[in-house]
Amino acid sequence: MVLSNTTLGTLIVTINTSILLISLPSIFRGLGIDPLAGGQSTFLLWILMGYMLVTAVLLVTCGRISDLYGRVRMYNLGFVVFTVFSLALALVPSVGIAGAMEILILRLFQGVGGAFLLANSAALITDAFPAHRRGMAMGINQIAAIAGSLLGLLVGGVLSSLNWRLVFLVSVPIGIFGSIWAYLKLHQEARQRESVSLDIPGNVTFALGLTLILVGITYGIQPYGKSVMGWGNPFVIGAIVIGLALLGWFVAIERRAREPLFRLDLFAVRAFAAGNIAGFTSSLARGGLQFILIIWLQGIWLPLHGYTYADTPLWAGIYVAPMIVGFVITGPLSGALSDRFGARAFSTIAMILSAGGFVLLSLLPGNFAPLPFFAILAFLGCAMGLFAAPNTTSIMNAAPAKMRGVASGMRATFQNAATMASIALFFTLLTLGLAQNLPAVMRAGLISNGVPATTAASIAGLPPITALFAAFLGYNPMRTLIPAGLAAHLSAHETQTLFGTSFFPHLILPAFMDGMHLALWISAILSLVAAVASALRGKRYIAEKTS
């Protein structure tokens, strides 16, 4: 009962982490918003990343509250909160900017429910299963955790092609079922300790510090003044510096607190520390992979092969399915084997294989053949599945029973924060690649198709983030960028070329590949760092056997 319900909870949360990556074109069309208009990029980024930010910030707090007042009780609350706000998202009454703002705010509250679900899933499984069966159970749960984030792309592609509200509505029946099932069937409650109070100073400094850092990262990948990125923006610099200072203050508070939020003493356990370092660096390596794949498929490869922009979300979801299959194959198997042989060998080999998968992906041409692409994605999925369950089991085995909620929250916080940082890193590399190479190519392409040189230079001088968002959303921005009066004087051939499905992908492809190659090589290096951390975790360690 615990395994099936927590797997369902993990699945619904992680699907909603990625489902909007592929559904945003349909959502913006439904709201009547031009995502490429000035100022709209802020809505795009916050609708995507606000949910992840709230979840990342609250995970440790939710885990600590659950340790104190009952994991099942807080898990049930998370299911209810998540379901209520999923329904509210599906029923937003407004359109235009007001509708986008409503979705943004409701996604933040939906993230609160997601934080309670994620913070408690691994802890409840660790409570319910003996040590010799946890790897198998965690393997099944981790299929939901990572495959859910991949499945979100497929589900989003299918549902957004029908109606954008279904993207949010799909969570409601699952949430209702899960809420009722958890309430009726999960009875394993932690004993409430009335004399213990929540570490308020620790909660406040941690939440503010991490929020400022993640907000700074979000605005850092947006244009600032004449710069293509905002990393020189005083607000971004100030947010990150103050955020880091607050986290430093948080560490000082935790060292003196009687009942700290962040159990720093857990890092004295080698298996816990090494497992979290490996988990953080692996998430940093793969967190932005979905972002790259969506741009590559939805904005470039599929249009080049004759798919209409209306159909690209569905087919982009289908094209990433081999990664899900690979993960499903190896996830439970590695979990079960790690019960017998420990996590070190499996997690280390998995990260070495992941590094190889990123290198192989970087060797593909931009206009790739499908079969090698599918094979590499399946290979990467197998490597991720091989790593996830052993590493998570190793971390949770190292935590004493009374700390499992906060340990699970700490583990998930590292993973979610690394995912956001990874998206920002990949976004920065792609934008810099476009800024360096795209303007000249775009100017020449426009002039060769009848656009006057002055207009072509003006369009080519626009921020590269416009081109990146267009590719990400599966749009041809030429319909927006070329003035209607000018378009009326172009020949039929020129109009067909400029506004067709292949002109913009051909323009963006070389610059995109430059940035993507660098991002994938960095991911390969980070995977090797995760492999080293995994190898250093030591022999199998189970806290209750040493207490």
Side-chain angles (χ1 to χ4, degrees):
M1 285 296 176
V2 170
L3 177 59
S4 55
N5 193 275
T6 55
T7 297
L8 181 66
T10 300
L11 183 67
I12 194 175
V13 173
T14 53
I15 283 177
N16 275 271
T17 301
S18 62
I19 196 168
L20 291 197
L21 282 173
I22 209 160
S23 306
L24 279 174
S26 176
I27 293 172
F28 279 125
R29 283 194 297 268
L31 294 175
I33 292 178
D34 178 5
L36 304 183
Q40 305 310 311
S41 62
T42 300
F43 285 110
L44 186 151
L45 284 173
W46 276 109
I47 288 174
L48 277 177
M49 302 184 74
Y51 173 89
M52 289 188 282
L53 186 149
V54 169
T55 303
V57 167
L58 292 181
L59 277 165
V60 179
T61 299
C62 292
R64 182 61 179 150
I65 291 172
S66 301
D67 280 343
L68 297 178
Y69 303 113
R71 291 171 196 145
V72 169
R73 185 182 302 164
M74 295 299 108
Y75 181 82
N76 292 352
L77 175 64
F79 242 135
V80 172
V81 171
F82 191 91
T83 304
V84 167
F85 285 101
S86 295
L87 180 61
L89 281 161
L91 300 176
V92 290
S94 304
V95 295
I97 299 300
M101 183 62 71
E102 290 169 7
I103 289 177
L104 193 160
I105 293 171
L106 291 172
R107 281 277 286 178
L108 298 180
F109 284 103
Q110 188 189 38
V112 175
F116 274 106
L117 289 172
L118 283 183
N120 285 290
S121 291
L124 287 171
I125 289 174
T126 307
D127 287 342
F129 283 81
H132 68 279
R133 295 181 63 202
R134 281 179 195 155
M136 176 276 298
M138 212 68 77
I140 295 173
N141 187 261
Q142 289 301 297
I143 284 179
I146 296 182
S149 65
L150 301 173
L151 191 61
L153 303 179
L154 180 59
V155 173
V158 172
L159 295 180
S160 63
S161 66
L162 301 175
N163 188 296
W164 69 269
R165 294 184 186 272
L166 295 176
V167 171
F168 302 112
L169 193 62
V170 66
S171 300
V172 175
I174 301 173
I176 292 173
F177 174 75
S179 299
I180 296 173
W181 192 13
Y183 178 77
L184 294 176
K185 297 296 184 180
L186 300 186
H187 303 296
Q188 186 179 351
E189 281 282 359
R191 180 179 297 176
Q192 181 173 343
R193 295 183 288 169
E194 299 289 350
S195 61
V196 177
S197 60
L198 195 63
D199 175 20
I200 300 299
N203 274 271
V204 172
T205 53
F206 178 77
L208 285 177
L210 188 57
T211 297
L212 283 172
I213 291 172
L214 296 180
V215 167
I217 288 173
T218 302
Y219 281 100
I221 59 180
Q222 299 184 57
Y224 173 69
K226 295 183 180 180
S227 301
V228 296
M229 304 291 285
W231 297 112
N233 184 344
F235 171 78
V236 170
I237 296 171
I240 293 175
V241 169
I242 294 172
L244 290 172
L246 283 170
L247 290 184
W249 187 19
F250 164 74
V251 172
I253 290 172
E254 297 303 279
R255 292 175 66 89
R256 298 191 303 268
R258 186 169 64 90
E259 290 287 342
L261 168 69
F262 223 81
R263 298 305 300 243
L264 298 177
D265 51 321
L266 285 173
F267 288 100
V269 180
R270 185 174 173 182
F272 185 87
N276 275 297
I277 293 171
F280 179 85
T281 49
S282 69
S283 294
L284 199 58
R286 63 175 171 78
L289 179 61
Q290 294 174 352
F291 179 70
I292 277 185
L293 292 177
I294 293 305
I295 295 177
W296 199 358
L297 290 168
Q298 191 163 290
I300 299 175
W301 194 90
L302 290 168
L304 283 177
H305 288 259
Y307 292 84
T308 65
Y309 283 113
D311 292 335
T312 54
L314 171 62
W315 285 100
I318 293 172
Y319 268 62
V320 299
M323 192 179 295
I324 304 173
V325 174
F327 191 89
V328 170
I329 290 172
T330 59
L333 180 62
S334 66
L337 291 174
S338 69
D339 283 335
R340 292 188 59 190
F341 304 109
R344 180 164 56 179
F346 293 101
S347 56
T348 303
I349 293 171
M351 283 296 95
I352 294 173
L353 294 177
S354 289
F358 285 121
V359 171
L360 289 174
L361 197 59
S362 73
L363 297 178
L364 285 179
N367 195 3
F368 55 82
L371 286 180
F373 179 76
F374 292 154
I376 294 172
L377 289 192
F379 180 80
L380 274 169
C382 289
M384 292 176 190
L386 194 64
F387 173 80
N391 192 65
T392 301
T393 305
S394 176
I395 292 171
M396 295 307 299
N397 277 341
K402 66 179 182 179
M403 300 181 189
R404 283 174 185 159
V406 72
S408 179
M410 290 163 69
R411 176 195 63 82
T413 295
F414 288 127
Q415 179 176 309
N416 284 29
T419 297
M420 285 194 69
S422 179
I423 292 173
L425 173 64
F426 281 38
F427 198 103
T428 299
L429 294 173
L430 292 178
T431 302
L432 292 176
L434 292 175
Q436 184 175 1
N437 301 315
L438 183 60
V441 175
M442 182 179 291
R443 182 177 180 275
L446 290 169
I447 291 174
S448 67
N449 283 279
V451 177
T454 54
T455 304
S458 176
I459 293 173
L462 290 174
I465 196 172
T466 302
L468 191 60
F469 278 155
F472 175 61
L473 295 169
Y475 276 79
N476 181 352
M478 295 302 131
R479 292 188 176 276
T480 301
L481 300 177
I482 295 177
L486 173 60
H489 292 86
L490 297 174
S491 69
H493 173 73
E494 291 167 342
T495 302
Q496 184 178 6
T497 299
L498 290 171
F499 297 155
T501 59
S502 61
F503 177 74
F504 178 65
H506 271 302
L507 285 183
I508 199 175
L509 180 58
F512 169 80
M513 294 303 294
D514 288 342
M516 190 195 74
H517 286 153
L518 181 57
L520 291 174
W521 277 94
I522 290 175
S523 290
I525 294 171
L526 288 169
S527 295
L528 293 177
V529 173
V532 173
S534 293
L536 295 176
R537 76 177 68 234
K539 296 180 179 179
R540 192 178 185 194
Y541 177 87
I542 301 174
E544 58 259 42
K545 289 188 177 181
T546 60
S547 59

